[in-house]
């Protein structure tokens, strides 16, 4: 009881000081391997990454993102902690009620984005004039991003007789950080088109691969938003479809398997709606897909590489070839007849010369 009274008195003094000082031992609530996000740009990128991995509708995605962005904007620049932020303020940012804010924070804790390092407390419990808001820490288990070191400045030189200009003193480009911005249409990951995605991250990458194969990334990415494509394709991933199977289903009708339906993107105001219309006849008829577009679960590329490596090892260990060409009796007889004919021609030529 004495320790509880001492802790409550210390918490009351911190609240009445008005400096939103967190608990002195708040770092003990951060697990090993996790680090507190201090950079707001990195925290915003982490929020967008986690939200994009969810199959949410548009209004929920917008409101929950605004709530989480308000949480990032309230971070302390030195410690990264979020203190003095009430649930009503978060609800106003996303135009949602406080109970929705509680669900957002619960989801953020489940996915490993937010850690409550100090719970909230009422004014009656503390014996103070005001309540104490919870203290949050935004965390990640990803390593610290490497900071590009600027190049050392070179000594300027005058223009020589060849007409070359002097080297610039600028080490890196100010807008790109010295790196080339690759176009958005370039695929980041090479997703196997015959593999069935299972996890949310795999479904996200498979959807990007499908849109890239259809030419709906890069400048045309606005015609097919990624979050809508993920929501449309998730039931088909769960049914066992792969990227190759979806491309075949979009181009063929199950009742007319030999006829091509043409490109989906041609003169289409809503590409995803056309995709849903073309995929609808295939519900319950996935067994009619050709065997060449059948999907495989797990890393089938790894299994193929292991099988090929085993065959190569067996071939290298055998002195004689494992597979000998087979010659039929008709082929052997034809070869003997040709050889006999050539011998007869040679004998006739030799007789003519004599």
């Amino acid at each position: 009881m004495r320790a509880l009274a001492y802790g409550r008195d210390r918490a009351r003094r911190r609240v009445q000081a008005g400096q939103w000082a967190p608990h002195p031992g708040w770092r003990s609530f951060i697990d090993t391997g996790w680090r507190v996000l201090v950079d707001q740009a990195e925290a915003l990128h982490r929020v967008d990454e986690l939200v994009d991995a969810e199959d949410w509708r548009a209004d929920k995605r917008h409101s929950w993102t605004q709530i989480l962005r308000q949480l990032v904007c309230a971070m302390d620049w030195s410690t990264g902690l979020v203190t003095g932020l009430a649930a009503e303020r978060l609800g106003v940012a996303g135009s949602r009620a406080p109970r929705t804010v509680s669900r957002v924070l619960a989801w953020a804790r489940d996915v490993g984005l937010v850690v409550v390092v100090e719970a909230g407390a009422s004014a009656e419990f503390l014996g103070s004039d005001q309540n104490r808001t919870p203290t949050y820490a935004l965390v990640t288990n990803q390593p610290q991003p490497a900071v590009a070191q600027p190049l050392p400045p070179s000594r300027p030189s005058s223009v020589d007789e060849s007409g070359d200009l002097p080297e610039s003193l600028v080490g890196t480009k100010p807008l790109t950080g010295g790196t080339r911005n690759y176009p958005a249409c370039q695929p980041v990951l090479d997703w196997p088109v015959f593999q069935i995605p299972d996890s949310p991250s795999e479904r996200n990458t498979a959807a990007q691969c499908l849109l890239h194969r259809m030419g709906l990334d890069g400048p045309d990415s606005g015609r097919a938003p990624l979050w809508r494509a993920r929501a449309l394709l998730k039931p088909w991933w769960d049914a066992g479809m792969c990227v190759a199977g979806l491309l075949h289903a979009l181009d063929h009708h199950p009742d007319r398997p030999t006829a091509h339906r043409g490109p989906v993107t041609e003169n289409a105001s809503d590409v995803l709606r056309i995709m849903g219309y073309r995929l609808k006849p295939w519900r319950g008829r996935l067994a009619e897909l050709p065997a060449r577009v059948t999907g495989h679960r797990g890393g089938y590329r790894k299994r193929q590489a292991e099988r090929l490596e085993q065959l190569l090892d067996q071939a290298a260990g055998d002195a004689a070839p494992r597979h000998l060409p087979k010659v039929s009796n008709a082929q052997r007889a034809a070869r003997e007849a040709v050889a006999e004919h050539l011998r007869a021609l040679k004998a006739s030529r030799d007789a003519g010369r004599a």
Side-chain angles (χ1 to χ4, degrees), residues 75-349:
M75 288 171 48
D76 184 83
W77 289 3
S78 58
T79 61
L81 297 180
V82 180
T83 56
L85 186 61
E88 290 77 8
R89 184 178 171 185
L90 292 174
V92 171
S95 301
R96 290 296 184 268
R99 62 178 180 273
T100 304
V101 175
S102 302
R103 291 199 295 268
V104 174
L105 296 175
W107 171 83
R109 291 195 300 268
D110 294 338
V111 298
L113 176 63
V114 172
V115 174
V116 181
V117 297
E118 188 174 24
S122 62
E124 293 78 11
F125 176 78
L126 298 175
S128 59
D129 299 334
Q130 55 187 352
N131 301 330
R132 183 185 69 189
T133 59
T135 302
Y136 308 103
L138 280 75
V139 298
T140 180
N141 57 351
Q142 299 178 357
Q144 186 76 24
V147 180
Q149 298 294 335
L151 298 176
S154 58
R155 179 180 300 177
S157 59
S158 59
V159 180
D160 55 15
E161 296 179 357
S162 63
D164 295 333
L165 296 175
E167 297 180 358
S168 174
L169 290 177
V170 180
T172 58
K173 297 181 181 180
L175 297 181
T176 62
T179 59
R180 176 176 297 179
N181 292 328
Y182 292 96
C185 60
Q186 180 177 1
V188 180
L189 295 176
D190 183 18
W191 176 258
V193 294
F194 296 100
Q195 182 169 337
I196 303 173
D198 293 326
S199 63
S201 60
E202 291 182 352
R203 290 193 293 267
N204 180 65
T205 309
Q208 291 179 351
C209 177
L210 178 65
L211 295 180
H212 173 70
R213 293 289 182 120
M214 299 176 61
L216 294 175
D217 55 352
D220 292 338
S221 59
R223 301 179 59 189
L226 181 59
W227 65 271
R228 285 186 58 195
R230 287 198 303 262
L232 171 67
L233 299 175
K234 185 179 184 301
W236 299 100
W237 302 136
D238 297 339
M241 291 282 280
C242 60
V243 174
L246 284 173
L247 291 175
H248 179 86
L250 290 172
D251 193 34
H252 297 81
H253 194 280
D255 296 333
R256 297 178 297 275
T258 59
H260 294 273
R261 310 184 71 178
V264 181
T265 58
E266 184 177 359
N267 299 328
S269 58
D270 194 339
V271 180
L272 295 180
R273 183 171 295 182
I274 300 298
M275 292 174 58
Y277 174 78
R278 290 196 176 187
L279 292 175
K280 186 176 181 180
W282 288 96
R283 291 180 180 176
R285 304 178 63 178
L286 298 183
E288 301 179 18
L289 287 172
R292 65 178 184 276
V293 295
T294 304
H296 303 274
R297 295 194 179 275
Y300 75 93
R301 281 187 171 180
K302 182 179 179 181
R303 294 196 298 267
Q304 289 178 350
E306 293 176 352
R307 190 180 304 111
L308 179 60
E309 184 178 358
Q310 292 177 359
L311 293 176
L312 293 177
D313 293 341
Q314 292 177 0
D318 297 339
R322 299 176 64 251
H323 299 285
L324 296 177
K326 296 182 179 180
V327 180
S328 62
N329 296 331
Q331 291 177 342
R332 188 178 296 106
R335 291 177 182 178
E336 293 177 356
V338 170
E340 183 64 24
H341 178 67
L342 293 177
R343 284 194 298 268
L345 290 177
K346 183 180 179 181
S348 63
R349 287 197 299 266

Side-chain angles (χ1 to χ4, degrees), residues 37 40-54 56 61 64-72 75 107-108 111 113-114 138:
L37 295 175
Q40 289 185 341
E42 184 182 1
L44 291 174
H45 177 72
R46 177 66 174 166
V47 168
D48 295 339
E49 182 183 10
L50 293 175
V51 171
D52 288 341
E54 299 292 337
W56 292 341
R61 179 181 301 274
W64 285 41
T65 301
Q66 294 301 320
I67 293 174
L68 295 173
R69 284 180 172 270
Q70 183 64 33
L71 199 68
V72 174
M75 288 171 48
W107 171 83
V111 298
L113 176 63
V114 172
L138 280 75

